Amino acid sequence: MQEILVLYYSHRGSVRALAEQIAIGIHQVPGAAARVRTVPRVSTVCEAVEDEIPADGPAYVEPRDLAECAGLALGSPTRFGNMAAPMKYFLDGLAGEWANGTLTGKPACVFSSSASQHGGQESTLLTMMVPLLHHGMMVLGIPYAETRLNTTRSGGSPYGATHVAGMDGLPVLTADEIELARAQGRRLAEVTLRLAGER
């Protein structure tokens, strides 16, 4: 069984909803399983700390999750065309994993959510890819063979699954967003298995 890490930060639940659909897509591929994890919030008050275990949802990511995963799906909400601070803070702390090549050669994909249709989703996805490339990962998108990329009126990009939450921040995914997220999860799982010599 090849375990794929689905790692995200979500403020209002939209990125979490995408992560859950990507995990479903991963589980749809025999021989693949998803391990869902999140990152804690950061604070402008240096003394503030998060509990070691989140109040709800998946556990916080640990270094062993990165070492043990065969692939990675990375998600963050959009903040002015870039990833949110908690995800950036987490990635900035991976110098040891970079030096050790922990993620080198593993496949990865990215996903995001924003309040508006043109709220910077694609630039967020692109900037999330950059640290993954520095880690030597193989970054995957969603090919246009997924016909919903041509018909969606909500989220979805060849760079990765996305969600348009609206100004009210609702985490309710459209049918297109669900299917594109699942397709991304399946593609990541299939490539992971091929790289492991299991397909």
Side-chain angles (χ1 to χ4, degrees):
M1 185 69 64
Q2 296 295 317
E3 203 164 26
I4 297 167
L5 179 60
V6 181
L7 177 60
Y8 71 91
Y9 171 72
S10 189
H11 181 65
R12 291 181 156 180
S14 296
V15 177
R16 179 178 178 174
L18 283 171
E20 290 166 352
Q21 295 304 319
I22 288 171
I24 288 171
I26 291 168
H27 286 291
Q28 289 174 340
V29 177
R35 180 188 299 191
V36 182
R37 295 289 185 267
T38 189
V39 297
R41 292 183 179 201
V42 294
S43 173
T44 56
V45 181
C46 294
E47 294 80 21
V49 295
E50 289 280 343
D51 292 332
E52 287 188 27
I53 301 172
D56 67 345
Y60 292 132
V61 66
E62 297 178 5
R64 68 180 182 86
D65 294 314
L66 297 171
E68 293 171 359
C69 76
L72 172 67
L74 190 69
S76 171
T78 294
R79 296 290 184 265
F80 303 106
N82 208 327
M83 72 185 91
M87 184 56 71
K88 180 73 166 65
Y89 183 80
F90 170 75
L91 292 172
D92 285 349
L94 297 182
E97 285 75 13
W98 171 78
N100 293 331
T102 301
L103 297 171
T104 300
K106 296 179 181 182
C109 66
V110 292
F111 56 101
S112 184
S113 175
S114 68
S116 64
Q117 185 70 34
H118 303 289
Q121 292 178 358
E122 289 190 336
S123 61
T124 298
L125 296 174
L126 290 168
T127 57
M128 288 175 68
M129 291 177 187
V130 173
L132 302 182
L133 292 168
H134 275 264
H135 279 275
M137 300 194 84
M138 295 177 279
V139 181
L140 307 171
I142 301 175
Y144 274 97
E146 296 296 336
T147 57
R148 288 182 187 255
L149 278 181
N150 291 308
T151 60
T152 183
R153 295 291 177 256
S154 51
S157 163
Y159 307 127
T162 61
H163 168 63
V164 180
M167 297 313 287
D168 53 5
L170 289 178
V172 179
L173 305 181
T174 67
D176 285 337
E177 292 169 345
I178 289 170
E179 287 307 313
L180 288 169
R182 289 183 182 182
Q184 186 171 18
R186 286 191 301 270
R187 183 161 196 247
L188 179 59
E190 288 164 358
V191 170
T192 300
L193 291 172
R194 276 194 221 116
L195 289 171
E198 297 184 18
R199 284 214 165 193

